[in-house]
Amino acid sequence: MTPEQIREFVIAGHWDLPKVQAMLAEDPDLLNARQQWAEDDFETAIQAASHAGSPHVAEFLLAQGAPMAIYTAAMLGRTDIVEEILRQDPEQINTLGAHGIPLLPHAAFSGSVDLVQMLYERGAKTGVSMALSNAVSRGHAAVVRWILAHGTPKLDWKNYEGKTALDIATARGDDEMAQLLRQAQ
């Protein structure tokens, strides 16, 4: 594996299942290869899929033998696995995924209010603004309502594209979500 191959594979891991499949077929050692973005910032393809909210990529990588981390289980909405991991090690509530992304934003992709609430009540309170943005991006209105009612998201927080949750809802043409966010301001 070359550093360029690893980088290309991890980038594909964010969303591009066909490319992940093709590259992994050519070189199975890429499965758990880590791309170093900065001194303390490493990322594997499964971590990329987890923080980008790409269940199809994550499921494929898991089937190939990639490890199931708590943030992957949370993104996939696998509450039973998340609860078992926390039962075995309660400190996992503070686990950070790639790029230092906390657990709550991963869980918001799942669309499960119960999972988001359980994690929040157990102490996963960081990343609430990113969690709101992630839930909006997937149209998970119930999760958005819960976060607005119970969390303290900053409505002017911007994602990696420089967009607020309201910008995302508007771009998606989701009038209901946009109205929820406007009422929260």
Side-chain angles (χ1 to χ4, degrees):
M1 294 180 295
T2 67
E4 292 78 21
Q5 287 172 306
I6 293 169
R7 183 177 192 279
E8 185 178 354
F9 184 69
V10 171
I11 289 172
H14 289 83
W15 297 285
D16 193 344
L17 179 59
K19 188 167 191 169
V20 166
Q21 291 170 325
M23 290 187 74
L24 199 56
E26 284 183 28
D27 190 346
D29 289 337
L30 286 167
L31 181 64
N32 295 312
R34 295 180 341 150
Q35 168 65 35
Q36 184 172 6
W37 299 112
E39 185 176 333
D40 292 326
D41 188 11
F42 294 88
E43 182 178 28
T44 63
I46 188 97
Q47 290 174 317
S50 298
H51 81 75
S54 295
H56 57 293
V57 175
E59 294 286 5
F60 172 76
L61 293 169
L62 288 169
Q64 305 311 304
M68 174 69 86
I70 191 168
Y71 45 80
T72 303
M75 183 272 295
L76 293 171
R78 295 192 182 166
T79 304
D80 56 334
I81 295 172
V82 171
E83 287 178 333
E84 179 58 23
I85 290 170
L86 291 174
R87 187 189 66 72
Q88 291 180 19
D89 182 4
E91 289 303 309
Q92 288 281 319
I93 198 73
N94 299 311
T95 295
L96 301 176
H99 315 302
I101 297 172
L103 190 53
L104 199 61
H106 290 87
F109 280 128
S110 73
S112 172
V113 173
D114 292 339
L115 176 59
V116 169
Q117 179 177 352
M118 180 267 291
L119 291 172
Y120 191 84
E121 289 174 352
R122 290 191 183 186
K125 293 188 166 107
T126 58
V128 72
S129 300
M130 181 183 240
L132 177 69
S133 179
N134 290 352
V136 168
S137 74
R138 293 302 190 270
H140 297 312
V143 173
V144 169
R145 281 188 199 93
W146 190 91
I147 290 172
L148 290 172
H150 302 283
T152 54
K154 293 180 179 170
L155 298 177
D156 61 348
W157 183 87
K158 294 180 180 179
N159 68 8
Y160 71 99
E161 295 177 314
K163 296 180 180 178
T164 65
L166 181 57
D167 295 336
I168 294 166
T170 302
R172 291 182 69 246
D174 191 334
D175 296 333
E176 175 192 356
M177 195 76 70
Q179 185 60 30
L180 278 172
L181 294 165
R182 283 187 193 102
Q183 289 173 349
Q185 292 179 333

